[in-house]
Amino acid sequence: LCCCEYVDRRGERNHLAACCCDCEELDDSCDRWLTCKSLPPGALERIADTIADRLRVPWFSGAVKINVSLVPPLVLLPVFLHVAALHFLLGLIILTSLPVVVLWYYYLTHRRKERTLFFLSLGLFSLGYMYYVFLQEVVPRGHVGYSQVVALTCGLILMLAALSRAKKDPGYLPIPAGNEKPLHQGLPNKSVRGSSSGLHGISGAASSRAVNGEAKGYSRMPAEQPEGVKKDWCTKCQLVRPARAGHCRLCGRCVRRLDHHCVWINSCVGEQNHQAFILALSFFMLTSVYGITLTLHTICRGRTPFVALFYCPGAYSDYSSALSFTCVWYCAIVTAGMGYILLIQLLNISYNVTEREARLALRDNTGRRLLGGLVIDTGQYNRGFLCNWGHFLSLGSSPPQRSAEDIV
């Protein structure tokens, strides 16, 4: 393949120059629209699939497909912020509607159980664009020192490093070989024995109904263990998962000590990356608050950052100040949302409960609401503040034990 050629979804060799050719679905839809006829079922989905397949950029070994969800943040965010900087009312409308649109898209993809790079792209591009505006519009005013720019840059780099670590393996359970066989069709009657990372036998008939809030198709089956800790049999991954592990319907894998699936990193948060996730959130909060403070001290001199955020005369006197002030408010909205997530995470760690366990406890009415409902204490793993934090800081310190049968 040359740099402009690719193999399309039908397995045929195609060229970027023919991106607007041979689109039967689009031609038929246009004809029906012009003749006022209704579209056949699934026409819009087929058109969207065709456009997504042909949206590519030239590359050395062939044209590379671009994920459509990456494009909207790269295009719309700068446009919206520049339009919001034109007038105070435009800024109020846009900055109010942006969180609503993001939440709407989140619930849309969450309901469809779809993975998307939209939120990760929005977060990373927002960081890059805010840093660019800071260097382009705020630093040249001469009120920000070199050491302050270095400190802000170091915070950004540390946050990206922690984010990169959080994007790695959250603690996926290894899928046993030959798991494609429908083992759940034949109902076994042997007892469950073995380690937490493999299947050594099954006890009882596998029920397909939900138990303790589990998704349909999962069965809770007790293992013969001295401690009396229950293990779960996952019919999707065909394995016995240890206590506190869970199956992510978006990733399609079981994760050790599953907390939740985070759309902002497009990955699960589990035993292996929970610490890095908290570290990334903490670095983001510190860096964002520091950048907001430096910007407000520059464009609203003589006022404290909190007062300047709500009352900054002259912020719209020139376009540079208006753009900086608009970006400050955008950062403040994002920081408030991330701060709430960090607060919930810290409270859950203090009570040694995961987000998944809190959700299941609410569903089954087995947990206690504390601190005004901010945290749900299940009481199952709570061993006190210090012990809970010690347990969290030791997560992932030693690799999970695997039995001889798993290694073979």
Side-chain angles (χ1 to χ4, degrees):
L1 297 178
C2 75
C3 62
C4 296
E5 290 182 320
Y6 63 95
V7 178
D8 60 19
R9 57 177 180 161
R10 295 175 295 183
E12 301 177 358
R13 191 165 178 167
N14 214 326
H15 197 279
L16 289 179
C19 62
C20 297
C21 303
D22 300 328
C23 187
E24 299 177 1
E25 295 88 356
L26 183 59
D27 294 339
D28 181 64
S29 299
C30 290
D31 292 339
R32 288 176 174 270
W33 178 69
L34 292 174
T35 55
C36 300
K37 295 181 180 179
S38 60
L39 295 177
L44 294 179
E45 287 78 3
R46 290 192 295 271
I47 294 174
D49 292 340
T50 302
I51 294 176
D53 184 56
R54 299 184 180 186
L55 188 62
R56 298 172 181 263
V57 294
W59 199 246
F60 299 105
S61 58
V64 178
K65 186 177 179 180
I66 300 177
N67 195 309
V68 181
S69 60
L70 292 173
V71 179
L74 305 182
V75 177
L76 298 180
L77 182 63
V79 173
F80 284 162
L81 291 179
H82 279 275
V83 172
L86 295 176
H87 194 271
F88 170 75
L89 292 179
L90 287 175
L92 183 63
I93 295 173
I94 290 178
L95 292 176
T96 304
S97 60
L98 274 178
V100 176
V101 173
V102 171
L103 287 175
W104 169 79
Y105 187 72
Y106 167 74
Y107 285 114
L108 179 66
T109 55
H110 185 72
R111 187 173 65 250
R112 295 179 178 179
K113 304 298 182 295
E114 297 177 357
R115 294 191 67 180
T116 175
L117 293 175
F118 173 84
F119 300 97
L120 179 61
S121 173
L122 177 62
L124 292 177
F125 185 69
S126 296
L127 286 172
Y129 191 71
M130 295 303 105
Y131 186 69
Y132 167 78
V133 171
F134 179 79
L135 295 180
Q136 193 75 14
E137 305 293 342
V138 179
V139 174
R141 294 173 178 263
H143 300 294
V144 178
Y146 176 77
S147 60
Q148 294 172 320
V149 175
V150 171
L152 186 68
T153 305
C154 290
L156 184 63
I157 294 174
L158 291 174
M159 191 277 296
L160 292 176
L163 181 63
S164 176
R165 174 62 187 86
K167 280 285 295 174
K168 294 182 179 179
D169 181 14
Y172 291 123
L173 289 172
I175 299 178
N179 67 331
E180 66 277 0
K181 297 176 65 177
L183 300 179
H184 58 281
Q185 291 181 359
L187 298 179
N189 54 9
K190 299 293 181 181
S191 60
V192 174
R193 292 186 182 91
S195 69
S196 59
S197 59
L199 170 64
H200 302 161
I202 312 164
S203 69
S207 171
S208 61
R209 61 185 179 89
V211 180
N212 289 338
E214 291 287 342
K216 185 178 180 180
Y218 300 98
S219 301
R220 180 174 296 274
M221 305 182 67
E224 292 182 2
Q225 236 181 339
E227 298 84 0
V229 179
K230 290 184 178 181
K231 291 184 177 182
D232 294 333
W233 163 248
C234 178
T235 59
K236 297 292 183 180
C237 298
Q238 297 293 326
L239 53 79
V240 177
R241 55 193 184 192
R244 311 192 77 177
H247 184 88
C248 177
R249 291 173 291 178
L250 297 179
C251 297
R253 295 285 299 276
C254 284
V255 182
R256 293 181 180 276
R257 197 183 177 276
L258 175 63
D259 190 85
H260 69 288
H261 182 93
C262 181
V263 296
W264 294 105
I265 64 174
N266 195 33
S267 178
C268 289
V269 176
E271 183 178 277
Q272 299 295 322
N273 68 341
H274 202 169
Q275 295 175 354
F277 178 73
I278 296 297
L279 199 60
L281 280 177
S282 302
F283 277 128
F284 171 80
M285 291 294 298
L286 294 174
T287 305
S288 180
V289 171
Y290 188 60
I292 290 174
T293 302
L294 291 178
T295 304
L296 290 177
H297 275 313
T298 301
I299 62 177
C300 302
R301 300 192 60 80
R303 288 179 172 82
T304 61
F306 183 79
V307 174
L309 191 62
F310 296 95
Y311 181 69
C312 183
Y316 286 85
S317 59
D318 60 277
Y319 188 75
S320 176
S321 299
L323 180 61
S324 301
F325 190 71
T326 303
C327 291
V328 162
W329 259 105
Y330 175 75
C331 288
I333 294 173
V334 175
T335 303
M338 295 300 172
Y340 176 77
I341 295 176
L342 179 60
L343 175 63
I344 297 300
Q345 286 289 313
L346 295 179
L347 290 176
N348 286 344
I349 294 170
S350 300
Y351 286 90
N352 200 1
V353 60
T354 64
E355 194 69 27
R356 172 177 173 270
E357 291 167 350
R359 185 174 65 251
L360 297 180
L362 280 178
R363 187 178 302 174
D364 300 335
N365 294 322
T366 57
R368 296 184 303 151
R369 290 179 176 269
L370 302 175
L371 302 177
L374 290 177
V375 63
I376 307 299
D377 182 21
T378 61
Q380 187 175 2
Y381 302 101
N382 189 359
R383 300 296 181 268
F385 181 82
L386 295 179
C387 291
N388 293 339
W389 272 96
H391 171 73
F392 173 76
L393 295 177
S394 64
L395 289 178
S397 57
S398 59
Q401 298 290 332
R402 301 184 64 184
S403 66
E405 294 184 23
D406 291 331
I407 297 176
V408 173

